[in-house]
Amino acid sequence: MTIQIGLQMFSVRNKFNEDRIKTLQNLSTIGYKHIEIPVDFQSDSAFNISSLSASDLKKMTKDAGIQVLGTHIPAELNEQELNEIIAYHKELGCNRAIIPMGMFQGADDAIAFSRRLNEYGKRLWTHGIQLYYHNHFQEFQKFDGKTLFEILLENTNPDYLKFELDIYWAIRGGANVEQLLKQLGTRCELIHIKDLPHPVSTINILDTLDKEKEITIHDFIPLFNSDNFVEIGQGKLDIKGIIKLVKEHTATKYIIVEQDVISIDEIKSVEISFNALSDLLGVEYA
C-alpha cells in the first residue's frame, strides 16, 4: 500500500484563520490531498471550529480536492461534547479522531488515562470512528523501568485505540525509533513528522529535566520556538531511514507533516516539507 502524505492544519493555522478557502486551495496546488484538523468547540481554540460547520468544512475541502483524513480532539470530553464530536465526524464523513496530548503525574495516572481512552475509543468505534493517541516527549518518561508510552500501549484495547506516532517528539523523548515502531506494529497507522535543526545539541529533552518530576505544560513552553523546529529535509533527522523503518514495521497509511513552530511563511514552509517528503517517499503527486 502506498503511503499518502497529509498535513496537520495546525501548521498553517494563521493562514487558515485569515482565509480558509484560499488556504485550502493553496495546499491543494502544492499537492496536499489529505489533511488533519483540530475539532475543539471552545471559543478560544486555535481554529474556532464552532464557527465552521461540518457541512461547510466538507464543502470547502471537497471543492479544493482535499479529504479530511482525521481530526484532533480534546483529551477530556463530557457526554455532550463526545456526542458533538461524533455528530461532527459523521456529517464531515471523517472516520478518524486523534487525541493529541496527555499529561501524566505517574504510572497510575497513565493507567487511569488508558481507561478513559478505552471508553472513548469504544464509544467512537461503535459509530465507525477510530480513535488514536498522538505522543509528545513526556510519554517516554520512565516509572519503575517502564515508559508511560508502554503503559498506554499495554493498557488500551487494540481495537479501540491505535496510535499516531510523532517521530520528532519520540526522538526528543529519547525513544529508540526502530524498537518503538516494532512495539507498535499494526497499531501504528499514522505518522507525524518534522525536522530538528542542526544546531540543537541536546536531543533528549528528558536529560534536561528531573526524571522523577511530573512534566507539565510549563516544560513545553520554552521548547516552542524556531530554534527547535525546521522543515523536513532541512535538519538533522534521518527521515529517509525513518521512512524505511515505518514501512518495514507498521501499517502506516499516512505520513503527516506537522510544523509546531514556523519562522517563514506558513504556506512556503509546508511546501518545502511536502516536496522533501515526496522525494523521500518516491511518490509523484499531480
Side-chain angles (χ1 to χ4, degrees), residues 33-83:
K33 303 303 177 187
H34 308 277
I35 62 169
E36 286 180 345
I37 190 164
V39 173
D40 186 342
F41 301 112
Q42 299 297 318
S43 60
D44 61 349
S45 69
F47 281 76
N48 192 20
I49 206 75
S50 59
S51 68
L52 180 60
S53 69
S55 59
D56 285 345
L57 177 58
K58 184 175 183 178
K59 182 181 186 307
M60 66 177 64
T61 51
K62 183 179 179 180
D63 289 348
I66 288 175
Q67 176 192 20
V68 180
L69 74 91
T71 68
H72 277 198
I73 65 173
E76 294 188 23
L77 297 164
N78 60 35
E79 184 69 14
Q80 179 182 340
E81 290 167 337
L82 187 55
N83 287 335

Side-chain angles (χ1 to χ4, degrees), residues 155-215:
N155 288 276
T156 49
N157 186 314
D159 290 330
Y160 300 151
L161 186 77
K162 299 192 184 299
F163 288 83
E164 177 174 71
L165 183 65
D166 191 305
I167 296 286
Y168 169 96
W169 283 115
I171 290 171
R172 299 305 308 267
N176 179 305
V177 172
E178 183 170 14
Q179 181 181 339
L180 186 57
L181 292 169
K182 286 180 179 179
Q183 282 180 308
L184 284 169
T186 57
R187 291 183 76 178
C188 179
E189 296 183 347
L190 306 173
I191 294 286
H192 267 202
I193 204 154
K194 64 209 88 181
D195 216 334
L196 181 66
H198 287 284
V200 175
S201 57
T202 302
I203 308 299
N204 186 353
I205 297 166
L206 295 176
D207 287 341
T208 70
L209 303 174
D210 182 346
K211 289 181 170 54
E212 301 300 321
K213 176 184 173 291
E214 172 191 353
I215 295 171

Side-chain angles (χ1 to χ4, degrees), residues 27-283:
L27 295 176
S28 183
T29 298
I30 290 168
Y32 286 105
K33 303 303 177 187
H34 308 277
I35 62 169
E36 286 180 345
I37 190 164
V39 173
D40 186 342
F41 301 112
Q42 299 297 318
S43 60
D44 61 349
S45 69
F47 281 76
N48 192 20
I49 206 75
S50 59
S51 68
L52 180 60
S53 69
S55 59
D56 285 345
L57 177 58
K58 184 175 183 178
K59 182 181 186 307
M60 66 177 64
T61 51
K62 183 179 179 180
D63 289 348
I66 288 175
Q67 176 192 20
V68 180
L69 74 91
T71 68
H72 277 198
I73 65 173
E76 294 188 23
L77 297 164
N78 60 35
E79 184 69 14
Q80 179 182 340
E81 290 167 337
L82 187 55
N83 287 335
E84 289 176 347
I85 291 289
I86 291 168
Y88 199 95
H89 280 73
K90 284 186 172 182
E91 188 171 0
L92 182 59
C94 176
N95 62 1
R96 296 183 185 89
I98 301 110
I99 290 179
M101 178 186 279
M103 305 301 294
F104 311 95
Q105 296 179 0
D108 290 344
D109 204 28
I111 292 171
F113 187 69
S114 297
R115 287 196 292 267
R116 189 195 312 164
L117 291 174
N118 282 329
E119 291 170 5
Y120 292 168
K122 183 177 182 179
R123 179 74 178 280
L124 292 167
W125 187 78
T126 61
H127 290 275
I129 303 165
Q130 179 66 60
L131 182 66
Y132 297 76
Y133 180 75
H134 168 283
N135 64 283
H136 286 78
F137 76 88
Q138 73 276 13
E139 293 89 351
F140 300 96
Q141 186 177 23
K142 286 187 177 182
F143 291 90
D144 298 324
K146 187 170 291 189
T147 67
L148 295 169
F149 193 92
E150 288 171 320
I151 293 171
L152 295 178
L153 189 61
E154 292 171 4
N155 288 276
T156 49
N157 186 314
D159 290 330
Y160 300 151
L161 186 77
K162 299 192 184 299
F163 288 83
E164 177 174 71
L165 183 65
D166 191 305
I167 296 286
Y168 169 96
W169 283 115
I171 290 171
R172 299 305 308 267
N176 179 305
V177 172
E178 183 170 14
Q179 181 181 339
L180 186 57
L181 292 169
K182 286 180 179 179
Q183 282 180 308
L184 284 169
T186 57
R187 291 183 76 178
C188 179
E189 296 183 347
L190 306 173
I191 294 286
H192 267 202
I193 204 154
K194 64 209 88 181
D195 216 334
L196 181 66
H198 287 284
V200 175
S201 57
T202 302
I203 308 299
N204 186 353
I205 297 166
L206 295 176
D207 287 341
T208 70
L209 303 174
D210 182 346
K211 289 181 170 54
E212 301 300 321
K213 176 184 173 291
E214 172 191 353
I215 295 171
T216 71
I217 196 67
H218 300 291
D219 296 305
F220 278 85
I221 292 172
L223 302 172
F224 281 89
N225 59 69
S226 58
D227 292 340
N228 282 300
F229 302 94
V230 72
E231 288 71 30
I232 292 170
Q234 306 293 304
K236 66 200 298 181
L237 297 187
D238 178 16
I239 294 176
K240 183 176 182 180
I242 289 166
I243 291 172
K244 181 175 182 291
L245 294 174
V246 165
K247 289 180 175 179
E248 287 177 0
H249 301 301
T250 72
T252 296
K253 299 175 181 177
Y254 297 93
I255 294 181
I256 298 152
V257 174
E258 182 188 44
Q259 290 296 135
D260 302 51
V261 178
I262 292 175
S263 60
I264 61 176
D265 178 79
E266 290 177 343
I267 298 297
K268 182 61 178 175
S269 169
V270 299
E271 182 178 18
I272 291 169
S273 290
F274 180 89
N275 291 337
L277 189 52
S278 296
D279 290 342
L280 290 168
L281 283 168
V283 175

